Amino acid sequence: MTGHSGVVRIGVAAPASRIDTALAARVSRLAGERHAGRAEIVFHPQCFLSDGHFAGDDDTRARAFLELANDPGFDALWVARGGYGSCRLAAQIVAGLRPPAHNKIYLGYSDAGTLLAALYREGFSRLAHGPMPADLLRDNGETAVARALDFLVDRAPHTLEPSVDGSHPTAAFNITILAHLLGTGFEPDLSDHIVMLEDVSEHMYRIDRSLWQITRNPGFRRVAGIRLGRVSAVPPNEPDFGKTEDDVMRHWCRESGIAYLGRAEIGHDVENRIVPFGRWPD
């Protein structure tokens, strides 16, 4: 999908934490180098606001997201970064969506998973878990951001997580985000989906507890299977938990009867591949 001029217009909002103007300039420059004349990135001014932890207060962040989502002049809405705060906006955003919002791509991960879940529950069909502008700040971050741009502009197959083959609908989440979504009214129906899960900066006992909660949920047990992405920057614990993320995933899949399908190329790093929600793009 491209705009009337043949240029893909990508709006960026920050429903959680802020970014700075220098990062926005670097992302725009990379887009110009990689997709000259074919991509235009517009950073909503809200991305640069600061209100404690957040990129502006809740109402400001929600209004910015809705302005981009409901504007038919944009082909995609790209979440600027993670952090925390998207869950505080979910109800306001869902209530404020208008028909043009259905006709664009939404891309993000981590904290943005709450909004992807809410939109998927509302029937949105062009959603994906994948890199965000703030990933440019990582070592070799250009790799991740270029992958996101290739997906947004061309839907390039090389950007997808390698196991995505259309045999099942897919979805991907941060483990902690998904655990907190359960029972909130924003939890999507993931029946027959292959669900890919990753996390960062959580103690292993918390990963274990979240996977217990997720796999005990009756609705979630209708998934076709789970793939485990990277669980990185795990803080040390005293005493040591004594099990790896693979150990705990296998344990809870076995206990719940959910198929464990192996590892996935997703995580809070530059190798984070894109996972569409559902069977899109086809």
Side-chain angles (χ1 to χ4, degrees), residues 38-212:
R38 301 184 58 229
E40 178 188 358
I41 301 183
V42 178
F43 286 84
H44 195 288
Q46 169 270 321
C47 292
F48 314 118
L49 299 179
S50 181
D51 182 12
H53 179 87
F54 308 111
D57 61 32
D58 290 354
D59 187 61
T60 298
R61 301 196 320 280
R63 283 191 287 105
F65 190 97
L66 287 169
E67 284 174 17
L68 297 178
N70 292 332
D71 186 340
F74 286 102
D75 302 293
L77 195 161
W78 197 9
V79 176
R81 62 161 295 174
Y84 169 69
S86 296
C87 65
R88 298 169 64 102
L89 316 181
Q92 185 176 347
I93 285 173
V94 168
L97 294 167
R98 299 295 178 259
H102 287 261
N103 300 323
K104 52 178 55 69
I105 302 167
Y106 296 82
L107 180 64
Y109 75 108
S110 191
D111 184 73
T114 299
L115 297 179
L116 295 176
L119 294 174
Y120 199 45
R121 184 183 176 95
E122 292 297 309
F124 281 59
S125 60
R126 294 178 174 267
L127 312 167
H129 174 287
M132 300 178 288
D135 285 309
L136 193 61
L137 299 175
R138 302 184 188 277
D139 289 342
N140 199 28
E142 293 84 357
T143 301
V145 175
R147 183 181 306 117
L149 289 167
D150 289 355
F151 178 79
L152 290 169
V153 176
D154 292 324
R155 249 67 76 227
H158 74 83
T159 65
L160 300 179
E161 202 284 330
S163 68
V164 174
D165 61 7
S167 61
H168 287 274
T170 53
F173 292 98
N174 174 274
I175 292 170
T176 302
I177 294 296
L178 180 58
H180 282 89
L181 275 166
L182 300 179
T184 62
F186 299 111
E187 171 192 354
D189 182 3
L190 297 173
S191 299
D192 198 41
H193 286 59
I194 293 174
V195 180
M196 305 186 203
L197 300 174
E198 55 82 31
D199 218 315
V200 65
S201 300
E202 294 285 353
H203 289 85
M204 193 54 64
Y205 76 86
R206 292 183 176 178
I207 297 294
D208 185 76
R209 182 166 57 199
S210 291
L211 290 175
W212 169 79

Side-chain angles (χ1 to χ4, degrees), residues 221-270:
R221 288 190 175 191
R222 295 194 292 267
V223 300
I226 295 175
R227 286 189 174 274
L228 177 62
R230 286 174 288 279
V231 176
S232 56
V234 177
N237 192 72
E238 180 60 41
D240 184 70
F241 192 69
K243 296 184 185 300
T244 68
E245 68 271 21
D246 200 71
D247 293 333
V248 297
M249 181 63 83
R250 288 178 183 275
H251 173 82
W252 292 117
C253 282
R254 186 168 57 250
E255 289 288 314
S256 62
I258 296 172
Y260 177 59
L261 303 176
R263 304 304 295 254
E265 285 293 321
I266 64 169
H268 279 65
D269 53 49
V270 298

